[in-house]
Each structure stands twice: as structure tokens, then as C-alpha cells.
Amino acid sequence: ATITMSGGPAAEILQLKEEDVVKFLLSGTHLGSNNVDFQMQSYIYKKKPDGAYIFNLRKTWEKLVMAARVIVAIENPADVCVISARPYSQRGILKFAAHTGANPVAGRFTPGTFTNQIQAAFREPRLLIVSDPRIDHQAVTEASYVNIPVIAFCNTDSPLRHIDVAIPCNNKGALSIGLMWWMLAREVLRMRGTISRDIPWDVMVDLYFYRDPAEAEKEETAAAIEEAPFQAAAAAAAPSSDWAAPSAQPDTTPAEATDWATMSDSKDWGAETTTTGASAAASSFGAPTSSDWGADASDWASGPAPTTTTTTTTTPATNGDASADWGAPAAGGENWS
């Protein structure tokens, strides 16, 4: 017996289109691996001479539509968790989450995210979607502990343990897994009524493809080089009006120099310079400093200068008598007063 989709008016709308088949073939979605799991044999169309298995694309499309119907049944889009530890599909799940409102986990899945309530990253989704059951086995195992249904993109050798809805496709190719996430997002939005089936989706499938960081950097560098001549021409044309305003700056600098020159020619600075020069010329380093200190002493007190002269004159008069020298001040108390 041939398994077909449910009948009704919607059955014709949900059928696989020719343009979608072309996308599948160009991206290599139908190509499987050289090994096959016993639970995935029902999705195999045939085996190539080189040993690789080929998927039945009609069954791939039917399971894709079924997964979209399950996702649409979740009232809150944020309760849908999409996970991918494989780098090739991380960009796809981020775009899928941005377009459908799901909650993405790109990169390493922290054990205990679904079971350990103490963790800051603890979450309780109602539906889990993984890119590879073998790579994301930790998330699938924890989802089975807390009864979370799991949708997975499965290859021919993928284990289907704890998988509720398996979408057969090539989940190891960068183009294939990106296309599958794009088609799943498009089908979800169509079933929600966000976009129409009669109008092609304006989001390009290239946004879901993995981009190598080195190649992306080369593309950005090449784009910058191509835009450089136009930017140089614009920069050459713009300065004609921009340099008109700063042209007044050279006039400001001489004004500041004139102010400093005026300050240096002031009379106060000239007077101090003249006085300093005169004192430097009058005094020398080799001359005795007694005259200089004597001059300073005469400025501070005029009395001691005559006293020194009187002492010099009195010394030969005493004829070396120490008693007379010390006694003279005592007897002459009136002189000190």
C-alpha cells in the first residue's frame, strides 16, 4: 500500500512543487551516507553504485509538512526550542528562530538545561527541534526525561531513539541543512497565515547557508576595494567647501604669538632682568662673600656696621688686655642702650 497524505481540499495545496524538487536536487538533500539505520530504511529510494543511499524526496516533503503542522500547534512560538551543535546549521537555526519566534541554542548544549532547575540557562520548552540526533544526543536524551516531543533532521545512519518526527534529508551538507531550515520556516509561516502561498517568500535561502568566516572576510575586503574609487572621488570633491571654514586658523596663531611678545617686552620683566644682570656683574664666584653679606646686613640693620668699625679701632688700644676688652662693654652699658 502506498502511504499518501490526508485527503481534503488542503491536500492539493500541500503537495510537493516542481521548484521545490529542483531546490532539493541542487542542494544535495537527496544524498545520504553509505550506511543505513534499520529504522531509516523506509525513507530510502535506492542505492547508488558507489554505495551512497538516496532519499525519497516525496517522503521528505511529507515529513517536513507534518513537522510544520506540529510547530504551528504550539500557541507560544517561544516554547519551541531549536538546537544545533554543528557549525554548518547554526546560522540556519538562528534565522529560523528570528523568522518564527523560536528559542535558539547555537553551539554547545549545556547538560542539565532541561532537567537542572538551578542553572541560569534552565528552560522548559514544549517542543524540541534538532539538526542531528547523533550530534545533539544530550538534548534529545534530556528531552526524553521531561517528556518533550522531538523533531529531528535525520540522515540514513541517524539513530531514531527518542525521536518523534524524523525528517529524512542530508543533514551533513551545508547547503542541504540550510535549505531544510529555510523550507521548514517558510511552511510554518504559511500555515500561520503570515505569508501567502501564491507569493514567493521574499527571504532568500542564502541567508540560511553557512558562511566560512575567511570567505566572508575576503568578500568584505573585495567589496571595500571596489567602493574605494567612488569614496576617493567623493572625498576629493567635498573638501572645496569644507576647507573654507578652517582657513581662519592661521590668522589666530600669530595673534597668540603677539600676545606672548607683548608680555615678554613688559617693563616689569625688563626691570628684573636689568637688576639681575647688574648684581651678577658686580659679584663673582671667586670674591669673598663678606661684602655681599655685609651689604645685606646694612639693609636689614644699620647699627651693626659702625659697631664693627669701633671694635676694630678699640682692639689695638687695649694692647691685648682681655680684661679691659670684656670689661668695656660692661662699663659702657649706656652705649648699648
Side-chain angles (χ1 to χ4, degrees), residues 112-125 146:
T113 301
F114 297 153
T115 57
N116 189 0
Q117 299 181 1
I118 303 178
Q119 285 190 6
F122 175 75
R123 61 193 67 188
E124 295 178 296
V146 292

Side-chain angles (χ1 to χ4, degrees), residues 54 63 69 74 158 198 291 304:
I54 299 176
K63 297 303 291 288
R69 294 175 64 180
I74 306 297
S158 298
D198 301 331
S291 59

Side-chain angles (χ1 to χ4, degrees), residues 179-259:
L179 176 65
M180 294 304 295
W181 281 109
W182 179 81
M183 284 195 168
L184 184 60
R186 185 189 65 174
E187 197 63 28
V188 168
L189 295 179
R190 283 177 175 179
M191 290 186 178
R192 288 178 180 173
T194 306
I195 60 177
S196 175
R197 294 184 180 272
D198 301 331
I199 303 175
W201 195 22
D202 57 353
V203 176
M204 297 180 61
V205 67
D206 299 5
L207 296 178
Y208 283 71
F209 291 161
Y210 169 78
R211 293 185 62 190
D212 189 7
E215 294 181 0
E217 185 177 357
K218 291 180 180 178
E219 293 178 1
E220 294 177 358
T221 306
I225 293 176
E226 292 178 359
E227 295 178 359
F230 301 98
Q231 295 178 355
S240 58
S241 59
D242 296 340
W243 287 98
S247 60
Q249 292 183 357
D251 300 334
T252 338
T253 306
E256 296 180 357
T258 306
D259 298 338

